[in-house]
Amino acid sequence: MKLPIIDLSSPDRLSTANSIRQACIEYGFFYLVNHGVENDDMVKAFDESRRFFSLSLEEKMKLARKEFRGYTPQDPTLGLQGDSKESFYIGPMADSTNANLNQWPSDESLENWRPSIESFYWKLFGAGKKLLSLIALSLNMDDDFFEKIGAVDRPSAFLRLLRYPGEMGSHEEICSAHSDSGTLTLLTTEGVPGLQICRDKLREPLVWEDVSYIEGAFIVNIGDLMERWTNCLYRSTMHRVKRTCKERYSMAFFLDPHPDCIVKCIESCCSESSPPRFAPIRSGDYMDARTRNTPV
Ligand SMILES: O=C(O)CCC(=O)C(=O)O
Ligand SMILES: [Fe+2]
């Protein structure tokens, strides 16, 4: 399936905001083009990701995940849910209290890796921030709404590098069905298929649709906190990666609110006849509870 395409550089911001609104109501997913992250930057970041994952398991395990940052190997037992992937998480870099929790390979093992990934992180952040201002407009709010409430002024964004090996077990899903928990996600792949979305999570049996690849575009999806902010107007759509037996690299950038940001139903999304469905919640509390419950 082809999702709606949103052009981040279009001068007609109101019309773009309107298209974003339609896309978020109907799909919770869209392609983002002209987002300012050059193709070369993406190719380079995938090269860096490949460099990292080709290190020996022993080297990678020196950076085993702590505080949600670092390396998670492929589950040797293929886990309860059959996920067959390895990942590396880079956490927020702007927050002075947490920035030093990130784990980096030494310059001897991967020369220049850290500055290269850091620079990519900030480019993704720039695109995400611009997009959030349009999302605010799409909700009839001022375009600096998310900044003002502290959702992006002290960013809490995680970059997740992923590698799915070519040789896999018999499980159908190599990244199990889930919705993302935060504000929004910018996803990029190199075109190896597998990503699927399920537009109606209540339908039995579930219908999964393949998301086609558009070179250079981000695949953007709304997360659960944005669903809460918008009183379920915007959908945090379930997605997964299906086994294809081809090695696959992807990178997901989770633009999440600062842990202290209070996520409370946006004014334009509730009324007397449609009261808020969720109580206000501190973003950090919500995310902590979510990560405790989901292996993804
Ligand atoms: O690898 C992919 O294409 C999807 C990854 C994903 O959904 C996630 O990391 O949340
Ligand atoms: Fe996801």
Side-chain angles (χ1 to χ4, degrees), residues 24-69:
C24 293
I25 291 174
E26 254 179 72
Y27 299 90
F29 261 84
F30 54 86
Y31 299 108
L32 188 69
V33 298
N34 297 325
H35 41 60
V37 183
E38 302 296 331
N39 233 13
D40 276 1
D41 295 323
M42 298 217 195
V43 170
K44 191 156 174 249
F46 275 116
D47 285 347
E48 296 296 9
S49 174
R50 235 178 239 106
R51 276 216 293 157
F52 174 78
F53 287 116
S54 0
L55 292 175
S56 68
L57 184 60
E58 193 192 348
E59 276 290 306
K60 290 185 282 192
M61 286 309 287
K62 287 184 194 157
L63 306 171
R65 187 159 146 187
K66 279 194 243 83
E67 307 276 351
F68 298 104
R69 287 124 172 114

Side-chain angles (χ1 to χ4, degrees), residues 201-271:
K201 51 189 166 209
L202 300 177
R203 189 162 152 185
E204 282 288 341
L206 295 175
V207 175
W208 289 99
E209 295 173 277
D210 293 316
V211 176
S212 343
Y213 171 70
I214 297 187
E215 194 180 350
F218 286 121
I219 297 167
V220 176
N221 65 282
I222 293 301
D224 296 346
L225 280 179
M226 184 60 84
E227 190 173 86
R228 282 179 83 110
W229 254 316
T230 62
N231 218 13
C232 298
L233 177 68
Y234 287 4
R235 305 165 49 164
S236 175
T237 299
M238 217 162 53
H239 53 284
R240 68 176 189 178
V241 182
K242 204 184 151 196
R243 181 169 71 111
T244 60
C245 294
K246 278 202 195 113
E247 187 185 37
R248 183 175 185 275
Y249 287 82
S250 63
M251 297 185 280
F253 186 69
F254 303 103
L255 187 63
D256 298 332
H258 188 274
D260 288 333
C261 175
I262 304 294
V263 177
K264 172 173 174 261
C265 181
I266 292 175
E267 255 168 61
S268 64
C269 300
C270 56
S271 61

Side-chain angles (χ1 to χ4, degrees), residues 120-140:
F120 187 60
Y121 177 102
W122 286 116
K123 285 178 182 161
L124 292 166
F125 179 69
K129 194 171 168 178
K130 261 197 220 157
L131 176 58
L132 259 189
S133 73
L134 284 163
I135 292 184
L137 276 186
S138 79
L139 294 163
N140 303 318

Side-chain angles (χ1 to χ4, degrees), residues 85 89 160 162 164 175 178 180 185 187-189 195 239-241 248 250-252 254 296:
K85 60 175 187 276
Y89 268 99
R160 182 190 212 194
L162 285 151
Y164 303 86
C175 172
H178 66 282
D180 294 346
T185 306
L187 178 76
T188 169
T189 77
L195 181 68
H239 53 284
R240 68 176 189 178
V241 182
R248 183 175 185 275
S250 63
M251 297 185 280
F254 303 103
V296 175

